[in-house]
């Protein structure tokens, strides 16, 4: 199977799972990226079965609206029953690296505001130790150089993602050559640097469920909070 076919398969599995978790009053949290796009497209034919969506990016909001799905502001949605999103890496504890699409801050907010976080990923995203994928950090523009100098002290190589401005008007530093054996601690440590908005480690609030697309089929893996 190609990577695209694996993404389609996990997206369909995520739609089937979501339909068991929602009712017609539900507002669904929806993430960003190519796997999330497959999910949006597959969910569209069931749009009568839920009320609306909260999107983690302008791009996802636009795609949802094109399908005729109502998109509402998180402030008016309250706690969401479920949030579905992709990832750049996941470890066996369902701690993630996210932000390859620069939407990490809104993704983290929507995940935090949801009862259940379902991660959808093809098998290439599965790792034992996070950090092969460069860790994205969203930074206030005027703090970019200062934050990069502070990050260097953590023994990694920060690289400015040129030409990218987040939906929040900020910039991204990607941390290369950074093995992350203790994701919860590293997440807190980076977030404590003045000028950092947030970083792409989702360890303090990991996924609750992972739907992983493999050659053998879609595997459902429960996180520690569900065991
Ligand atoms: C966007 C993200 C995406 O979830 C992540 O980059 C995975 O994307 P894709 O599904 O295209 O591989 O965090 O900020």
């Amino acid at each position: 199977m190609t990577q695209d076919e694996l993404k389609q398969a996990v997206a369909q599995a995520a739609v089937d799972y979501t339909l068991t978790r929602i009712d017609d009053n539900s507002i669904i949290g929806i993430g960003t990226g190519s796997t999330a796009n497959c999910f949006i497209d597959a969910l569209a034919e069931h749009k009568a079965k839920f009320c609306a969506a909260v999107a983690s990016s302008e791009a996802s909001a636009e795609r949802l609206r094109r399908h005729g799905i109502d998109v509402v502001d998180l402030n008016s949605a309250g706690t969401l029953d479920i949030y579905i999103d992709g990832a750049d890496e996941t470890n066996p504890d369902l701690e993630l690296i996210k932000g390859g699409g620069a939407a990490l801050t809104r993704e983290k907010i929507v995940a935090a505001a949801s009862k259940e976080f379902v991660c959808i990923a093809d098998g290439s995203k599965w790792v034992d130790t996070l950090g092969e994928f460069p860790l994205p950090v969203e930074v206030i523009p005027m703090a970019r150089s200062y934050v990069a100098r502070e990050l260097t002290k953590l023994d990694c190589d920060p690289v400015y993602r040129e030409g990218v401005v987040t939906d929040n008007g900020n910039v991204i530093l990607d941390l290369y050559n950074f093995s992350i054996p203790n994701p919860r601690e590293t997440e807190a440590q980076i977030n404590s640097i003045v000028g950092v908005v947030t970083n792409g480690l989702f360890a303090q609030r990991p996924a609750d469920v992972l739907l992983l697309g493999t050659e053998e089929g879609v595997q459902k893996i429960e996180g520690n909070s569900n065991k």
Side-chain angles (χ1 to χ4, degrees):
M1 272 172 116
T2 65
Q3 195 179 21
D4 277 353
E5 287 167 338
L6 293 174
K7 288 180 184 187
Q8 300 280 358
V10 288
Q12 188 53 55
V15 169
D16 297 342
Y17 182 77
T18 300
L19 293 175
T20 68
R21 312 296 273 174
I22 57 164
D23 57 38
D24 18 335
N25 293 318
S26 295
I27 301 178
I28 303 175
I30 297 183
T32 299
S34 56
T35 319
N37 283 345
C38 294
F39 175 75
I40 292 171
D41 296 347
L43 184 70
E45 65 182 87
H46 303 281
K47 63 186 177 195
K49 297 178 185 151
F50 58 97
C51 172
V54 167
S56 71
S57 64
E58 299 299 334
S60 291
E62 201 182 308
R63 195 175 190 99
L64 286 158
R65 286 195 197 97
R66 278 206 306 270
H67 280 297
I69 296 171
D70 265 356
V71 179
V72 297
D73 189 281
L74 181 63
N75 290 309
S76 57
T79 301
L80 306 178
D81 289 332
I82 191 163
Y83 175 54
I84 298 93
D85 197 1
D88 299 300
E89 278 185 357
T90 174
N91 70 15
D93 290 326
L94 310 195
E95 297 167 325
L96 314 173
I97 286 183
K98 292 184 46 54
L104 59 160
T105 300
R106 293 190 187 195
E107 290 170 340
K108 203 175 270 198
I109 293 167
V110 183
S114 300
K115 286 185 205 151
E116 184 174 18
F117 175 14
V118 179
C119 180
I120 50 176
D122 65 83
S124 70
K125 311 290 181 68
W126 181 266
V127 295
D128 285 331
T129 304
L130 299 175
E132 225 162 273
F133 189 91
L135 175 66
V137 181
E138 180 164 351
V139 177
I140 302 286
M142 74 166 284
R144 191 185 87 214
S145 298
Y146 166 72
V147 170
R149 288 195 298 278
E150 291 299 302
L151 287 168
T152 305
K153 295 177 189 166
L154 303 181
D155 204 14
C156 62
D157 298 320
V159 175
Y160 171 41
R161 206 186 290 180
E162 299 228 22
V164 171
V165 177
T166 70
D167 285 347
N168 313 307
N170 299 314
V171 297
I172 299 284
L173 296 172
D174 292 306
L175 309 188
Y176 286 80
N177 304 315
F178 193 30
S179 179
I180 307 170
N182 301 305
R184 286 175 66 94
E185 288 81 350
T186 304
E187 181 176 0
Q189 197 175 16
I190 294 175
N191 283 347
S192 72
I193 299 172
V194 174
V196 167
V197 178
T198 198
N199 69 81
L201 282 170
F202 285 55
Q204 293 174 355
R205 201 281 183 251
D208 301 304
V209 174
L210 169 67
L211 297 173
L212 189 70
T214 71
E215 290 295 336
E216 290 73 45
V218 176
Q219 293 177 22
K220 178 169 177 259
I221 299 163
E222 309 238 307
N224 294 328
S225 59
N226 276 23
K227 281 177 188 160

